[in-house]
Amino acid sequence: MGLLLSACFSEQALAVLTLTPLVNTSRRLTLQVGSSQFGTVNSVTFNVTTDKTSPNNTPIQGVPSATAATAATTPANGILIKLTSEIPFALVNVWQNVKLTVDSSVGLACISGTGCGSTIIPFSTISWVSYNRGSYDINDGSFTDGSTQTLFWVGSLNAGLQLENTLVFTYANSTIYPAGQYTGRVTYTATLP
């Protein structure tokens, strides 16, 4: 599952964790990022206008594309991340590890012809905040520019789980980059080894 983030130059997450009952099937793991339509890459846009740059460099909250925001989220402008695992009866008392990672190693590259040349903005300039946290959540954080950043990990016996977070992304806007349009993609991966 991917999430396309873009910035144009000229926070907040809500989570719920639910343990699901055992099932009489093979192990299953599902991950939804943004739209529930399979294969959809959702985007978030950060519009950095001149009044938000030096000397006052104001952080910019991202706005999801229409396909990403098909379901209303709380708070507004969120991207839903939903992770569900199902554990069969046959694996009772077997330790199950569920892990969610993100790859943000490539950065936001200047779109050719928009005036910013070969500039790349690191994904570490983008963060999120988590609200109403319980025992298991995606915590507050920012992308690390790494290929296997762990966002969530839990080990469990005898049960599956359902994790739902709504992430609202914020661009730090602490460095002035050349005016233009930038685009990049982060990729989320869920594993149940």
Side-chain angles (χ1 to χ4, degrees):
M1 305 292 302
L3 178 66
L4 180 69
L5 299 172
S6 61
C8 180
F9 289 72
S10 0
E11 101 219 31
Q12 308 163 351
L14 176 65
V16 175
L17 176 80
T18 306
L19 293 179
T20 60
L22 295 171
V23 294
N24 196 14
T25 62
S26 59
R27 296 187 320 166
R28 283 190 266 195
L29 184 66
T30 58
L31 175 63
Q32 175 185 337
V33 178
S35 171
S36 61
Q37 183 176 0
F38 182 76
T40 299
V41 176
N42 299 275
S43 64
V44 175
T45 301
F46 304 90
N47 188 16
V48 183
T49 55
T50 54
D51 62 318
K52 303 283 194 245
T53 58
S54 186
N56 299 318
N57 295 51
T58 305
I60 308 296
Q61 187 177 78
V63 177
S65 63
T67 56
T70 53
T73 61
T74 302
N77 290 328
I79 296 287
L80 174 68
I81 296 181
K82 184 176 180 178
L83 174 63
T84 304
S85 72
E86 295 178 352
I87 310 301
F89 291 117
L91 294 177
V92 170
N93 296 322
V94 175
W95 193 257
Q96 308 289 329
N97 294 301
V98 177
K99 187 174 184 180
L100 177 63
T101 61
V102 66
D103 180 347
S104 62
S105 59
V106 177
L108 295 139
C110 177
I111 297 173
S112 180
T114 65
C116 40
S118 60
T119 305
I120 296 176
I121 300 173
F123 269 109
S124 56
T125 61
I126 298 174
S127 63
W128 61 89
V129 177
S130 181
Y131 290 94
N132 300 328
R133 293 195 299 238
S135 299
Y136 303 104
D137 296 297
I138 296 174
N139 291 321
D140 297 353
S142 61
F143 295 113
T144 62
D145 303 327
S147 60
T148 57
Q149 176 183 355
T150 299
L151 298 179
F152 175 77
W153 175 88
V154 67
S156 168
L157 285 174
N158 302 335
L161 65 83
Q162 181 173 323
L163 171 72
E164 291 187 39
N165 288 94
T166 300
L167 301 180
V168 177
F169 297 96
T170 300
Y171 169 65
N173 195 27
S174 57
T175 300
I176 297 177
Y177 292 99
Q181 293 181 337
Y182 298 79
T183 188
R185 182 184 291 187
V186 297
T187 304
Y188 295 86
T189 303
T191 56
L192 180 61

